[in-house]
Amino acid sequence: MIYDYIIVGAGIAGLNAARLIPKDKKVLVLCKKSPWECNTFYAQGGIATAVDDSDIPAHIQDTLTAGANYNNVKAVEVLSKNSLEGIENLIDNGLEFDLNEKGELAFTKEAAHSRSRILHADGDATGRMMHLFLMTQLEHEIQTNAVVNDLLIEDGICYGVQYFTSETEQKVAYSHNTILASGGIGSIYKYHTNSTAIAGEVQGIIAEKGLELKDMEMMQFHPTVFKGTSFARKALLSEALRGEGAHVVDENGYRFLYDYHKDAELAPRDVVSRSIFDYNRKTGLGVFLSFDTFDKKYFRKRFPNIYANFDDLGYDLPFEKVPISPAFHYAMGGIATDLNAKVKGVKNLYAIGEASCIGVHGANRLASNSLLEGIVFSKVAVEDSIKEEFTIDKSNYSKIIKSYTRNKNIDKLIKDELRKLMWESAGIVRNMGSLEESLQKIDNFLEEEVGRLLFLRLLTAKSILRAAIDRKESLGAHFIKDF
Ligand code: SIN
């Protein structure tokens, strides 16, 4: 059997693509663990959109300014110009965003936006509500615990995917169109805000095939994540908190961010992360997020999930301040696509959402543009595939289907070492010596007999380090300082 579409990933981009593919098509959605193990599910703050037609130029400009003007301007225009229609379509199909007291859409502000233009749902559970909505709309086949380990690509055509269904079993599925929406790379960093299912294996497959990964040095660190647990995955304190008045202070209550940027908490995310990192390093003082500008009743209504999570952790918000540090958050770089979301060099393969790099985020993503990217470019990919009507002839695929070993005993040790290396060398502030050293270590790990999934992660990590070494000057999230 040949599917019309295989979609790898069940976050916002993958599920919205599935929603837009006509119901009479045969579609298989593969997700690595359970569907909610994706970064969409953890997105708190919201989804950015132009508020109306007159706001499109400002939304475009804010996206470019945050992105250090390294963005693909055409992609940014597509993003913003299609935001209104994308949001309207979701609302028309039943997604409920929060409303203000007048019953109108409630827009909030986040850092580096020149006005309030972020929609949210259930206060601070925007990603979770959008994911739930898209899951309820899903009418196609979905397979959980399907870990993609290869793409069947030959002569510029993708014939389908190969995936593990358990520790030892694997399957092959063929398809006329394949859409990669497998998310970013979070779990290759020691500290991150991502779902633990997100580890960049599909990017590794792309590297292995000699296809293009773009802007891999552009890794975003969220400035305000909770520092108080030892888990790799850190609890996020949404940018919307700062957008609505939370302050970053040192242990003496000093708002040191003004020493770094006139917009302090509302400066672009890379600037805020770097400033916190630098201040802590220079002074040794602890850094906190303070909520003392908030009224208690308002805070608990507007941020109910953050309030409840931190209540569980023993913090009484908004009265107590919370220790914070930056952590890895989002990959601006990924699988290079053209403006139709098509993977460069392959006729019927698309990449969307965080897995992809269409150039929309440049060197630093503007807050809350990622959910929007998932919505807008999933539609672009589906529309392009419908227009192209490409079909494969399975019998033309002549490569041998390989049998992979998913994990090996040595993997755990190397995985931990990899996460530490990436955090320390390809982190918030980088230096060439340490990047080169890490690259050498990764090359050594690649010589070991590791399992397939770790092998792919290593290839992805290697592409990040390589790109970081190749970019000699600082730009946006890629900050080089030799110390
Ligand atoms: C947040 O709520 O701070 C995350 C939003 C984003 O990453 O855009």
Side-chain angles (χ1 to χ4, degrees):
M1 121 127 177
I2 302 179
Y3 286 98
D4 293 306
Y5 291 87
I6 291 175
I7 299 173
V8 181
I12 191 165
L15 289 180
N16 198 52
R19 181 176 77 94
L20 298 174
I21 294 169
K23 304 294 169 259
D24 60 340
K25 300 285 181 197
K26 289 195 294 290
V27 180
L28 173 64
V29 180
L30 297 175
C31 70
K32 197 174 164 189
K33 290 187 179 171
S34 56
W36 52 89
E37 276 302 342
C38 60
N39 284 347
T40 300
F41 189 82
Y42 292 101
Q44 294 178 342
I47 179 166
T49 174
V51 173
D52 50 34
D53 284 337
S54 71
D55 184 38
I56 291 172
H59 180 219
I60 291 173
Q61 189 52 54
D62 290 349
T63 302
L64 297 175
T65 304
N69 287 302
Y70 181 62
N71 322 54
N72 178 334
V73 179
K74 288 209 168 78
V76 177
E77 284 170 359
V78 172
L79 179 83
S80 190
K81 287 181 181 164
N82 287 282
S83 62
L84 288 160
E85 189 274 335
I87 296 292
E88 199 177 297
N89 181 274
L90 292 170
I91 294 172
D92 288 349
N93 282 282
L95 178 60
E96 291 181 10
F97 288 109
D98 295 336
L99 304 178
N100 62 19
E101 21 340 301
K102 291 190 205 142
E104 299 157 344
L105 287 172
F107 292 98
T108 191
K109 190 164 176 353
E110 290 183 358
H113 284 273
S114 55
R115 66 174 290 178
S116 295
R117 62 162 78 87
I118 321 288
L119 293 172
H120 45 90
D122 192 22
D124 51 2
T126 313
R128 177 144 47 91
M129 299 313 283
M130 293 189 80
H131 192 260
L132 181 66
F133 163 77
L134 290 169
M135 282 299 290
T136 60
Q137 301 265 311
L138 182 65
E139 294 188 27
H140 298 295
E141 181 183 346
I142 183 164
Q143 178 159 359
T144 57
N145 298 310
V147 184
V148 169
N149 60 29
D150 212 348
L151 296 170
L152 311 182
I153 296 178
E154 188 171 3
D155 295 333
I157 293 169
C158 182
Y159 290 85
V161 307
Q162 185 176 338
Y163 54 101
F164 292 116
T165 52
S166 71
E167 191 55 38
T168 50
E169 281 163 68
Q170 38 198 321
K171 276 189 180 169
V172 166
Y174 294 92
S175 181
H176 298 304
N177 296 284
T178 300
I179 300 180
L180 304 175
S182 46
I185 56 103
S187 293
I188 67 173
Y189 276 88
K190 185 166 176 190
Y191 302 116
H192 61 83
T193 61
N194 289 192
S195 156
T196 49
I198 300 297
E201 287 97 353
V202 173
Q203 288 84 334
I205 299 173
I206 293 293
E208 186 182 40
K209 307 273 173 220
L211 296 168
E212 188 187 350
L213 292 172
K214 187 174 167 344
D215 300 347
M216 292 301 277
E217 71 279 30
M218 299 302 177
M219 296 289 142
Q220 182 169 77
F221 295 82
H222 197 289
T224 55
V225 307
F226 179 51
K227 207 180 168 199
T229 60
S230 57
F231 307 116
R233 205 192 95 67
K234 300 286 178 197
L236 189 65
L237 284 149
S238 173
E239 187 114 14
L241 290 161
R242 277 176 286 129
E244 295 194 25
H247 295 153
V248 174
V249 294
D250 70 11
E251 58 195 52
N252 303 315
Y254 175 56
R255 284 179 71 188
F256 61 87
L257 288 178
Y258 277 113
D259 299 348
Y260 290 87
H261 194 284
K262 67 176 176 36
D263 295 331
E265 286 85 0
L266 298 182
R269 206 172 262 184
D270 58 330
V271 174
V272 180
S273 286
R274 223 159 28 239
S275 307
I276 292 173
F277 178 87
D278 184 67
Y279 187 77
N280 173 257
R281 203 183 168 99
K282 271 200 323 230
T283 64
L285 295 173
V287 179
F288 295 81
L289 196 61
S290 158
F291 313 95
D292 57 10
T293 54
F294 284 95
D295 166 70
K296 168 179 146 186
K297 238 166 114 188
Y298 175 80
F299 186 92
R300 292 177 187 183
K301 183 162 185 291
R302 173 70 183 87
F303 300 105
N305 300 287
I306 292 174
Y307 168 71
N309 288 345
F310 279 84
D311 190 42
D312 285 348
L313 289 163
Y315 288 86
D316 185 17
L317 303 190
F319 304 115
E320 287 183 86
K321 54 186 199 284
V322 170
I324 53 157
S325 131
F328 173 81
H329 185 57
Y330 186 87
M332 272 78 73
I335 303 164
T337 72
D338 65 16
L339 280 179
N340 292 318
K342 200 177 270 183
V343 175
K344 291 186 178 168
V346 189
K347 285 200 178 73
N348 56 340
L349 181 63
Y350 296 84
I352 52 177
E354 193 177 348
S356 69
C357 181
I358 198 164
V360 86
H361 304 304
N364 174 51
R365 176 174 63 85
L366 180 67
S368 288
N369 263 353
S370 50
L371 294 179
L372 180 62
E373 180 195 15
I375 293 296
V376 168
F377 289 101
S378 53
K379 182 160 186 265
V380 167
V382 170
E383 284 177 353
D384 188 74
S385 63
I386 290 172
K387 191 174 82 214
E388 295 270 308
E389 291 182 335
F390 189 86
T391 53
I392 60 162
D393 177 350
K394 201 168 123 185
S395 64
N396 286 341
Y397 187 74
S398 66
K399 290 189 182 168
I400 293 161
I401 305 282
K402 291 188 194 150
S403 172
Y404 294 111
T405 303
R406 180 167 169 156
N407 295 300
K408 296 207 175 152
N409 285 340
I410 193 177
D411 289 6
K412 167 88 178 81
L413 232 115
I414 297 182
K415 257 185 222 169
D416 288 347
E417 184 62 19
L418 168 68
R419 293 174 339 108
K420 191 163 163 284
L421 280 180
M422 294 304 285
W423 176 252
E424 285 169 4
S425 62
I428 301 160
V429 176
R430 302 159 176 194
N431 80 73
M432 283 295 166
S434 138
L435 287 166
E436 305 260 12
E437 223 174 88
S438 293
L439 183 61
Q440 182 57 55
K441 285 191 181 152
I442 285 178
D443 277 334
N444 296 344
F445 292 148
L446 282 164
E447 300 284 305
E448 304 276 350
E449 288 286 311
V450 296
R452 176 67 177 165
L453 297 184
L454 176 57
F455 176 76
L456 295 173
R457 278 186 199 198
L458 288 168
L459 289 184
T460 301
K462 182 172 172 166
S463 72
I464 295 171
L465 294 168
R466 188 71 265 162
I469 291 167
D470 288 348
R471 183 174 294 283
K472 307 289 178 214
E473 304 283 327
S474 296
L475 181 70
H478 173 68
F479 190 79
I480 293 278
K481 186 173 179 190
D482 283 312
F483 49 82

